[in-house]
Amino acid sequence: EVQLSEEELFLEMKARQDKNQLSDINIRKAIFHAVDRNRIVNELFGGYGQVANSLFTIDSPYCNQSWAGFEYDLEKAEEYLSKAGYGIENPLYLTISAVNNSKTKEIIENIIREDLKKIGINLWVFNLPPKELYQDRICCGDYELGLWSMFIFNEDDMTNSFESNKIPPMETEENTNCKNFYWYKSPEIDDLLQQANNFKD
């Protein structure tokens, strides 16, 4: 009889699911509503921080409260997850990757894991050395969810983070700063970023 480790058992259960679960918008909405972002901010900063619903700070002319409609709401989260066919009785198994040298990220991971478990999403966390995370996971897209920071200072940062030709494996001497770590592809976003660059020029 072969004894499986906790990690091996988790990954075995996950392998029985359909692939690419996060392509389902109901699962993505469930995750948004299930994570208590206020709790994360309060545990990290006490009364000195606030939830960011935009890539830009509140005083930036580019600020758009895009995520304000995805407040913490377990009832909505359960409803969206149920539409995708999952819940407490039929849990969804997902993995998240992060660096292993950050106590701050460890706090965030634990809160996210607790919150998602409440609605029926079991989360396994891969904490890896920064070099290994970037080279072996992020650059080749070998992860489902990622936990890292994103700093947006200007239009170039937006382009480097979201344009479809800025996916890490596409980086060359001519095409530099490929930081689209989520491998995000959208012709509409590409067009908006191009318009922003034209306006800047």
Coordinates of all heavy atoms in Angstrom, one line a residue, residues 33-105:
H33 N -15.3 37.7 -4.4 CA -16.3 38.0 -3.3 C -15.9 37.2 -2.0 O -16.3 37.7 -0.9 CB -17.7 37.6 -3.7 CG -18.3 38.6 -4.7 ND1 -18.6 39.9 -4.3 CD2 -18.8 38.4 -5.9 CE1 -19.2 40.5 -5.3 NE2 -19.3 39.7 -6.3
A34 N -15.1 36.1 -2.1 CA -14.8 35.3 -0.9 C -13.6 35.9 -0.1 O -13.5 35.6 1.1 CB -14.5 33.9 -1.4
V35 N -12.7 36.6 -0.8 CA -11.5 37.1 -0.1 C -11.8 38.4 0.7 O -12.2 39.4 0.0 CB -10.4 37.3 -1.0 CG1 -9.2 37.8 -0.3 CG2 -10.0 35.9 -1.7
D36 N -11.6 38.4 2.0 CA -11.9 39.6 2.8 C -10.6 40.5 2.7 O -9.7 40.5 3.5 CB -12.1 39.2 4.2 CG -12.6 40.3 5.1 OD1 -12.5 41.5 4.7 OD2 -13.1 40.1 6.2
R37 N -10.6 41.4 1.7 CA -9.5 42.3 1.5 C -9.3 43.3 2.6 O -8.2 43.7 2.9 CB -9.6 43.0 0.1 CG -9.5 42.0 -1.0 CD -9.7 42.7 -2.4 NE -11.1 43.0 -2.6 CZ -11.4 44.1 -3.4 NH1 -10.6 44.8 -4.0 NH2 -12.7 44.3 -3.6
N38 N -10.4 43.7 3.2 CA -10.3 44.6 4.4 C -9.5 44.0 5.5 O -8.7 44.6 6.2 CB -11.7 45.1 4.9 CG -12.3 46.2 4.1 OD1 -11.6 47.2 3.9 ND2 -13.5 46.0 3.5
R39 N -9.8 42.7 5.8 CA -9.1 42.0 6.8 C -7.6 41.9 6.5 O -6.8 42.1 7.4 CB -9.6 40.6 7.0 CG -8.9 39.8 8.0 CD -9.4 38.3 8.0 NE -8.5 37.5 8.8 CZ -8.5 36.2 8.8 NH1 -9.3 35.5 8.0 NH2 -7.6 35.5 9.5
I40 N -7.3 41.7 5.3 CA -5.8 41.6 4.9 C -5.2 43.0 5.1 O -4.1 43.0 5.8 CB -5.7 41.3 3.4 CG1 -6.1 39.8 3.1 CG2 -4.3 41.5 2.9 CD1 -6.2 39.4 1.7
V41 N -5.8 44.1 4.7 CA -5.2 45.4 4.9 C -5.1 45.7 6.4 O -4.1 46.2 6.8 CB -6.1 46.5 4.2 CG1 -5.6 47.9 4.6 CG2 -6.0 46.3 2.7
N42 N -6.1 45.4 7.2 CA -6.1 45.7 8.6 C -5.0 44.9 9.3 O -4.3 45.4 10.2 CB -7.5 45.4 9.2 CG -8.5 46.5 8.8 OD1 -8.1 47.6 8.5 ND2 -9.7 46.1 8.8
E43 N -4.8 43.6 9.0 CA -3.8 42.8 9.6 C -2.4 43.2 9.3 O -1.5 43.1 10.1 CB -4.0 41.3 9.3 CG -5.3 40.7 9.9 CD -5.2 39.3 10.2 OE1 -4.1 38.7 10.2 OE2 -6.2 38.6 10.4
L44 N -2.2 43.8 8.1 CA -0.9 44.2 7.6 C -0.6 45.6 8.1 O 0.5 45.9 8.4 CB -0.8 44.1 6.1 CG -0.8 42.7 5.5 CD1 -0.7 42.8 4.0 CD2 0.3 41.8 6.1
F45 N -1.6 46.5 8.0 CA -1.3 47.9 8.3 C -2.1 48.5 9.4 O -1.9 49.7 9.7 CB -1.6 48.7 7.0 CG -0.9 48.2 5.8 CD1 -1.5 47.6 4.8 CD2 0.5 48.4 5.7 CE1 -0.9 47.1 3.6 CE2 1.2 47.9 4.5 CZ 0.5 47.3 3.5
G46 N -2.9 47.8 10.1 CA -3.7 48.4 11.2 C -4.7 49.4 10.6 O -5.3 49.1 9.6
G47 N -4.7 50.6 11.1 CA -5.6 51.6 10.6 C -4.9 52.5 9.6 O -5.4 53.6 9.3
Y48 N -3.8 52.1 9.1 CA -3.0 53.0 8.2 C -3.1 52.6 6.7 O -2.2 53.0 6.0 CB -1.5 53.1 8.7 CG -1.4 53.7 10.0 CD1 -1.3 52.9 11.2 CD2 -1.4 55.1 10.2 CE1 -1.2 53.4 12.4 CE2 -1.2 55.6 11.5 CZ -1.2 54.8 12.6 OH -1.1 55.3 13.8
G49 N -4.0 51.8 6.3 CA -4.1 51.4 4.9 C -5.6 51.3 4.5 O -6.5 51.4 5.3
Q50 N -5.8 51.1 3.2 CA -7.1 51.0 2.7 C -7.1 50.0 1.5 O -6.0 49.9 0.9 CB -7.7 52.3 2.3 CG -7.0 53.0 1.2 CD -7.6 54.4 0.9 OE1 -8.4 54.9 1.7 NE2 -7.3 54.9 -0.2
V51 N -8.2 49.4 1.2 CA -8.3 48.4 0.1 C -8.1 49.2 -1.2 O -8.8 50.3 -1.4 CB -9.6 47.7 0.2 CG1 -9.8 46.9 -1.1 CG2 -9.6 46.7 1.4
A52 N -7.3 48.7 -2.1 CA -7.1 49.4 -3.4 C -8.1 48.7 -4.4 O -8.0 47.5 -4.6 CB -5.7 49.3 -3.9
N53 N -9.0 49.4 -4.9 CA -9.9 48.9 -6.0 C -9.5 49.4 -7.4 O -10.2 49.3 -8.3 CB -11.3 49.4 -5.7 CG -11.9 48.6 -4.5 OD1 -11.8 47.4 -4.4 ND2 -12.6 49.3 -3.6
S54 N -8.2 49.8 -7.5 CA -7.7 50.3 -8.7 C -6.2 50.0 -8.8 O -5.6 49.8 -7.7 CB -7.9 51.8 -8.9 OG -7.2 52.3 -10.0
L55 N -5.6 49.9 -10.0 CA -4.2 49.8 -10.1 C -3.5 51.0 -9.7 O -2.3 51.0 -9.3 CB -3.8 49.4 -11.6 CG -4.1 48.0 -12.1 CD1 -3.9 48.0 -13.6 CD2 -3.3 47.0 -11.3
F56 N -4.2 52.2 -9.7 CA -3.6 53.4 -9.4 C -4.1 54.0 -8.0 O -5.2 53.6 -7.6 CB -3.9 54.5 -10.5 CG -3.4 54.1 -11.8 CD1 -4.1 53.4 -12.7 CD2 -2.1 54.4 -12.1 CE1 -3.6 53.0 -13.9 CE2 -1.5 54.0 -13.4 CZ -2.3 53.4 -14.3
T57 N -3.3 54.8 -7.4 CA -3.8 55.4 -6.1 C -5.0 56.3 -6.3 O -5.2 56.8 -7.4 CB -2.6 56.3 -5.5 OG1 -2.2 57.3 -6.4 CG2 -1.4 55.4 -5.2
I58 N -5.7 56.6 -5.2 CA -6.9 57.3 -5.3 C -6.8 58.7 -5.8 O -7.7 59.3 -6.4 CB -7.6 57.3 -3.9 CG1 -9.1 57.7 -3.9 CG2 -6.8 58.2 -2.9 CD1 -9.9 56.7 -4.5
D59 N -5.6 59.3 -5.7 CA -5.4 60.7 -6.1 C -4.8 60.7 -7.6 O -4.5 61.8 -8.1 CB -4.5 61.5 -5.2 CG -3.1 60.8 -5.0 OD1 -3.0 59.6 -5.4 OD2 -2.2 61.4 -4.4
S60 N -4.7 59.6 -8.2 CA -4.1 59.5 -9.6 C -5.2 59.8 -10.6 O -6.4 59.4 -10.4 CB -3.6 58.2 -9.9 OG -3.3 58.0 -11.2
P61 N -4.9 60.6 -11.6 CA -5.9 60.9 -12.7 C -6.4 59.6 -13.4 O -7.4 59.6 -14.1 CB -5.2 61.8 -13.6 CG -3.8 61.6 -13.4 CD -3.7 61.3 -11.9
Y62 N -5.6 58.5 -13.3 CA -5.9 57.2 -13.9 C -6.7 56.3 -13.0 O -7.1 55.2 -13.4 CB -4.6 56.5 -14.3 CG -3.8 57.3 -15.3 CD1 -2.6 57.9 -14.9 CD2 -4.2 57.4 -16.7 CE1 -1.9 58.6 -15.8 CE2 -3.4 58.1 -17.6 CZ -2.2 58.7 -17.1 OH -1.5 59.4 -18.0
C63 N -7.0 56.7 -11.8 CA -7.7 55.9 -10.8 C -9.1 55.6 -11.3 O -9.9 56.5 -11.7 CB -7.8 56.5 -9.5 SG -8.6 55.5 -8.2
N64 N -9.4 54.3 -11.3 CA -10.8 53.8 -11.7 C -11.1 52.7 -10.7 O -10.5 51.7 -10.7 CB -10.8 53.3 -13.1 CG -12.2 52.9 -13.6 OD1 -13.1 52.7 -12.8 ND2 -12.4 52.8 -14.9
Q65 N -12.1 52.9 -9.9 CA -12.5 51.9 -8.9 C -13.1 50.7 -9.5 O -14.3 50.3 -9.2 CB -13.4 52.5 -7.9 CG -12.9 53.7 -7.1 CD -11.8 53.3 -6.1 OE1 -12.1 52.5 -5.2 NE2 -10.6 53.8 -6.2
S66 N -12.3 50.0 -10.3 CA -12.8 48.9 -11.1 C -13.3 47.7 -10.3 O -14.2 47.0 -10.7 CB -11.7 48.3 -12.0 OG -11.1 49.4 -12.8
W67 N -12.7 47.5 -9.1 CA -13.1 46.3 -8.3 C -14.0 46.6 -7.1 O -14.3 45.8 -6.3 CB -11.8 45.6 -7.8 CG -10.9 45.3 -8.9 CD1 -11.1 44.6 -10.1 CD2 -9.5 45.7 -9.0 NE1 -10.0 44.6 -10.9 CE2 -9.0 45.2 -10.3 CE3 -8.6 46.4 -8.2 CZ2 -7.7 45.4 -10.7 CZ3 -7.3 46.6 -8.6 CH2 -6.9 46.1 -9.8
A68 N -14.5 47.8 -7.1 CA -15.4 48.2 -6.0 C -16.6 47.4 -5.9 O -17.2 47.2 -4.8 CB -15.7 49.7 -6.1
G69 N -17.1 46.9 -7.0 CA -18.3 46.1 -7.0 C -18.1 44.6 -6.5 O -19.1 43.9 -6.5
F70 N -16.9 44.3 -6.2 CA -16.6 42.9 -5.8 C -16.2 42.9 -4.3 O -15.2 42.4 -3.9 CB -15.4 42.3 -6.6 CG -15.8 42.1 -8.0 CD1 -15.5 43.0 -9.0 CD2 -16.5 40.9 -8.4 CE1 -15.8 42.8 -10.3 CE2 -16.8 40.7 -9.7 CZ -16.5 41.6 -10.7
E71 N -17.2 43.4 -3.5 CA -16.9 43.5 -2.1 C -17.0 42.1 -1.4 O -17.5 41.2 -2.0 CB -18.0 44.4 -1.4 CG -19.4 43.8 -1.3 CD -20.1 43.9 -2.7 OE1 -19.6 44.5 -3.6 OE2 -21.2 43.2 -2.8
Y72 N -16.5 42.0 -0.2 CA -16.5 40.7 0.5 C -17.9 40.3 0.8 O -18.7 41.0 1.5 CB -15.7 40.9 1.8 CG -15.7 39.7 2.7 CD1 -15.2 38.4 2.3 CD2 -16.2 39.7 4.0 CE1 -15.2 37.3 3.1 CE2 -16.2 38.6 4.8 CZ -15.7 37.4 4.4 OH -15.7 36.3 5.2
D73 N -18.4 39.2 0.2 CA -19.8 38.8 0.4 C -19.8 37.2 0.1 O -19.8 36.8 -1.0 CB -20.7 39.5 -0.7 CG -22.1 39.2 -0.5 OD1 -22.5 38.1 0.0 OD2 -22.9 40.1 -0.8
L74 N -19.8 36.5 1.2 CA -19.7 35.0 1.2 C -21.0 34.5 0.5 O -20.9 33.4 -0.2 CB -19.6 34.4 2.6 CG -18.2 34.6 3.2 CD1 -18.2 33.9 4.6 CD2 -17.1 34.0 2.3
E75 N -22.1 35.1 0.6 CA -23.3 34.6 0.0 C -23.2 34.7 -1.5 O -23.5 33.7 -2.2 CB -24.5 35.4 0.5 CG -25.8 34.7 0.3 CD -27.0 35.4 1.0 OE1 -27.0 35.6 2.2 OE2 -27.9 35.9 0.2
K76 N -22.7 35.8 -2.0 CA -22.5 35.9 -3.5 C -21.4 35.0 -3.9 O -21.6 34.4 -5.0 CB -22.1 37.4 -3.8 CG -23.2 38.4 -3.9 CD -22.7 39.7 -4.4 CE -23.8 40.7 -4.4 NZ -23.3 42.0 -4.9
A77 N -20.4 34.8 -3.1 CA -19.3 33.9 -3.5 C -19.8 32.5 -3.7 O -19.5 31.8 -4.6 CB -18.2 34.0 -2.5
E78 N -20.6 32.0 -2.7 CA -21.1 30.7 -2.8 C -22.1 30.5 -4.0 O -22.1 29.5 -4.6 CB -21.9 30.4 -1.5 CG -21.0 30.2 -0.3 CD -21.8 30.1 1.0 OE1 -23.0 30.5 1.1 OE2 -21.2 29.6 2.0
E79 N -22.8 31.6 -4.3 CA -23.7 31.5 -5.4 C -23.0 31.4 -6.7 O -23.3 30.5 -7.5 CB -24.6 32.8 -5.4 CG -25.6 32.9 -6.5 CD -26.3 34.2 -6.5 OE1 -26.5 34.8 -5.4 OE2 -26.8 34.6 -7.6
Y80 N -21.9 32.2 -6.9 CA -21.1 32.1 -8.1 C -20.4 30.7 -8.2 O -20.4 30.1 -9.3 CB -20.1 33.2 -8.2 CG -20.7 34.5 -8.6 CD1 -20.6 35.6 -7.8 CD2 -21.3 34.6 -9.9 CE1 -21.2 36.8 -8.2 CE2 -21.9 35.8 -10.3 CZ -21.8 36.9 -9.5 OH -22.3 38.1 -9.9
L81 N -19.9 30.2 -7.1 CA -19.2 28.9 -7.1 C -20.2 27.8 -7.4 O -19.8 26.9 -8.2 CB -18.5 28.7 -5.8 CG -17.5 27.5 -5.8 CD1 -16.4 27.8 -6.8 CD2 -16.9 27.3 -4.4
S82 N -21.4 27.9 -6.9 CA -22.4 26.9 -7.2 C -22.8 26.9 -8.7 O -23.0 25.8 -9.3 CB -23.7 27.2 -6.4 OG -24.7 26.3 -6.7
K83 N -22.8 28.0 -9.3 CA -23.0 28.1 -10.8 C -22.0 27.3 -11.6 O -22.3 26.8 -12.6 CB -23.1 29.5 -11.3 CG -24.3 30.3 -10.8 CD -24.2 31.7 -11.4 CE -25.5 32.6 -10.9 NZ -25.4 33.9 -11.4
A84 N -20.8 27.3 -11.0 CA -19.7 26.5 -11.7 C -19.7 25.1 -11.3 O -18.8 24.3 -11.8 CB -18.3 27.2 -11.3
G85 N -20.6 24.7 -10.4 CA -20.7 23.3 -10.0 C -19.9 22.8 -8.8 O -19.7 21.6 -8.6
Y86 N -19.5 23.8 -8.0 CA -18.7 23.5 -6.8 C -19.3 24.1 -5.6 O -20.1 25.0 -5.6 CB -17.3 24.0 -7.0 CG -16.5 23.3 -8.2 CD1 -16.5 23.9 -9.4 CD2 -15.9 22.1 -8.0 CE1 -15.8 23.3 -10.5 CE2 -15.3 21.5 -9.1 CZ -15.2 22.1 -10.3 OH -14.6 21.5 -11.3
G87 N -18.8 23.6 -4.4 CA -19.3 24.0 -3.1 C -18.7 23.2 -2.0 O -17.8 22.4 -2.2
I88 N -19.2 23.4 -0.8 CA -18.7 22.6 0.3 C -18.7 21.1 0.1 O -17.7 20.4 0.5 CB -19.4 23.0 1.6 CG1 -19.3 24.5 1.9 CG2 -18.9 22.2 2.8 CD1 -17.9 25.0 2.3
E89 N -19.8 20.6 -0.4 CA -19.9 19.2 -0.6 C -19.1 18.7 -1.8 O -18.8 17.5 -1.9 CB -21.4 18.8 -0.8 CG -22.3 19.2 0.4 CD -21.9 18.5 1.7 OE1 -21.5 17.3 1.6 OE2 -21.9 19.2 2.7
N90 N -18.8 19.6 -2.8 CA -18.0 19.2 -3.9 C -16.9 20.2 -4.1 O -17.1 21.1 -5.0 CB -18.9 19.1 -5.2 CG -18.2 18.7 -6.4 OD1 -17.2 18.0 -6.4 ND2 -18.6 19.3 -7.6
P91 N -15.9 20.2 -3.3 CA -14.9 21.3 -3.3 C -14.1 21.4 -4.6 O -13.9 20.4 -5.3 CB -14.0 21.0 -2.1 CG -14.2 19.5 -1.9 CD -15.6 19.2 -2.3
L92 N -13.6 22.6 -4.9 CA -12.7 22.9 -6.0 C -11.3 23.0 -5.4 O -11.1 23.5 -4.3 CB -13.1 24.3 -6.6 CG -12.2 24.8 -7.7 CD1 -12.2 23.9 -8.9 CD2 -12.6 26.2 -8.1
Y93 N -10.4 22.4 -6.1 CA -9.0 22.4 -5.7 C -8.2 23.3 -6.6 O -8.1 23.1 -7.8 CB -8.4 21.0 -5.8 CG -9.0 20.0 -4.7 CD1 -10.3 19.4 -5.0 CD2 -8.4 19.8 -3.5 CE1 -10.8 18.6 -4.1 CE2 -9.0 19.0 -2.6 CZ -10.2 18.4 -2.8 OH -10.8 17.5 -1.9
L94 N -7.5 24.3 -6.0 CA -6.7 25.2 -6.8 C -5.3 25.4 -6.1 O -5.2 25.1 -4.9 CB -7.3 26.6 -6.8 CG -8.6 26.7 -7.6 CD1 -9.2 28.1 -7.5 CD2 -8.4 26.4 -9.1
T95 N -4.3 25.8 -6.8 CA -3.0 26.1 -6.3 C -2.7 27.6 -6.4 O -3.2 28.2 -7.3 CB -1.9 25.2 -7.0 OG1 -1.9 25.6 -8.4 CG2 -2.2 23.8 -6.8
I96 N -1.8 28.0 -5.5 CA -1.3 29.4 -5.6 C 0.2 29.4 -5.4 O 0.7 28.6 -4.6 CB -2.0 30.3 -4.6 CG1 -1.7 31.8 -4.8 CG2 -1.7 29.9 -3.1 CD1 -2.5 32.7 -3.9
S97 N 0.9 30.2 -6.1 CA 2.4 30.3 -6.0 C 2.8 31.6 -5.5 O 2.2 32.7 -5.8 CB 3.0 30.1 -7.4 OG 2.7 28.8 -7.9
A98 N 3.8 31.6 -4.6 CA 4.4 32.9 -4.1 C 5.8 32.6 -3.7 O 6.3 31.5 -3.7 CB 3.6 33.3 -2.8
V99 N 6.5 33.7 -3.3 CA 7.9 33.6 -2.8 C 7.9 33.0 -1.4 O 6.9 33.2 -0.7 CB 8.6 34.9 -2.9 CG1 8.8 35.3 -4.4 CG2 7.9 36.0 -2.1
N100 N 9.0 32.4 -1.0 CA 9.1 31.9 0.3 C 9.9 32.7 1.3 O 10.3 32.3 2.4 CB 9.8 30.5 0.3 CG 11.2 30.5 -0.2 OD1 11.7 31.6 -0.5 ND2 11.9 29.4 -0.2
N101 N 10.1 34.0 1.0 CA 10.9 34.8 1.8 C 10.2 36.1 2.3 O 10.8 37.1 2.6 CB 12.2 35.3 1.1 CG 11.9 36.1 -0.1 OD1 10.7 36.2 -0.6 ND2 12.9 36.7 -0.7
S102 N 8.8 36.0 2.4 CA 8.0 37.1 2.8 C 7.0 36.7 3.8 O 6.1 36.0 3.6 CB 7.3 37.7 1.5 OG 6.4 38.7 1.9
K103 N 7.2 37.3 5.1 CA 6.2 37.0 6.1 C 4.9 37.7 5.8 O 3.8 37.2 6.1 CB 6.7 37.6 7.4 CG 7.8 36.8 8.0 CD 7.3 35.4 8.5 CE 8.4 34.5 9.1 NZ 8.0 33.2 9.4
T104 N 4.9 38.8 5.1 CA 3.7 39.5 4.7 C 2.9 38.7 3.8 O 1.7 38.5 4.0 CB 4.1 40.8 3.9 OG1 4.8 41.7 4.8 CG2 2.8 41.5 3.4
K105 N 3.5 38.1 2.7 CA 2.8 37.2 1.8 C 2.2 36.0 2.5 O 1.2 35.5 2.2 CB 3.7 36.8 0.6 CG 3.9 38.0 -0.3 CD 4.6 37.6 -1.6 CE 4.6 38.7 -2.6 NZ 5.3 39.9 -2.2

